[in-house]
Amino acid sequence: MTQPLQSQENFMTNSKAVITITVAACLISGAFPGPTQAGDATGAQPLALRKIMQELGSNMQATTGAISREDWAQVVQLAPKIAAHPAPPLTEKIRIFAYLGADAGRFRSFDAQTHEAALAMKQAAARSDGKAVIESFARVQESCMGCHQAFRKPFVEHFYGAR
Ligand code: HEC
């Protein structure tokens, strides 16, 4: 009469083992993405930051076009996308700030400069003040370049491996 109970116990033990193996396999495949997911010659997954940067780049290009056409309404639309660009997911932020360490303040201040200059650009565009739009656009560009000159190469080396 103990037979059914015993086989049920065996079933429970086995299914637990199966679940453990499945979870482990998922964790491993997530932690070490295969070559098909690689975004880089070194095999490293691209940071979410890179995509955010690419969007910043295309919004800056679109702004140049809008300035050429003196399309201030479009600059008003584009400026907040530059000012309030999305942040990377929390886990990536933790990786980035752990890497930055004592340089975190400098990194953040470049980002704050981007934010502040892009908002000034929006306000200038809202009053159709072309000269002020161009001045604040230049300040946005200085903030991009400032951060890139200080951090981009070391970031790429650290997160993707030296090339
Ligand atoms: C606070 C620092 C910081 C600021 C400010 C910043 N960037 Fe970047 N940017 C980076 C870092 C770090 C990388 C390298 C990211 C990577 O390769 O994953 C990068 C990379 C890029 C790239 C290359 C993306 C690629 O495909 O390799 C572009 C384009 C870019 N940024 C545009 C901009 C523009 C435009 C601005 C200003 C509106 C800007 N960035 C402001 C830190 C910054």
Side-chain angles (χ1 to χ4, degrees):
M1 289 315 284
T2 56
Q3 191 61 32
L5 183 63
Q6 219 170 16
S7 59
Q8 200 188 1
E9 267 172 13
N10 284 342
F11 171 76
M12 295 292 283
T13 314
N14 288 342
S15 69
K16 254 187 218 162
V18 168
I19 289 166
T20 308
I21 289 163
T22 308
V23 169
C26 289
L27 287 175
I28 289 165
S29 61
F32 304 104
T36 47
Q37 288 175 285
D40 201 285
T42 61
Q45 273 289 86
L47 295 173
L49 180 70
R50 186 171 276 183
K51 188 149 187 297
I52 293 166
M53 287 294 152
Q54 287 162 355
E55 276 161 25
L56 271 181
S58 60
N59 284 324
M60 285 293 278
Q61 267 182 306
T63 304
T64 317
I67 291 172
S68 311
R69 295 188 306 275
E70 292 167 84
D71 184 350
W72 310 129
Q74 207 197 341
V75 177
V76 169
Q77 297 282 308
L78 288 164
K81 294 185 188 172
I82 297 162
H85 61 81
L90 186 61
T91 48
E92 184 175 303
K93 261 192 178 172
I94 291 167
R95 277 178 74 200
I96 288 173
F97 282 102
Y99 161 69
L100 284 171
D103 276 336
R106 207 153 65 99
F107 187 84
R108 277 187 196 277
S109 78
F110 281 123
D111 194 43
Q113 195 190 327
T114 302
H115 177 81
E116 182 271 321
L119 283 186
M121 182 168 77
K122 182 189 170 187
Q123 283 155 11
R127 29 172 227 278
S128 303
D129 184 345
K131 197 167 186 304
V133 169
I134 288 169
E135 279 162 6
S136 45
F137 183 80
R139 282 200 294 125
V140 176
Q141 282 186 311
E142 280 159 22
S143 73
C144 313
M145 196 173 74
C147 192
H148 292 160
Q149 287 185 338
F151 293 106
R152 188 157 154 189
K153 192 168 179 280
F155 251 68
V156 170
E157 284 171 359
H158 177 79
F159 289 104
Y160 305 98
R163 293 187 236 190

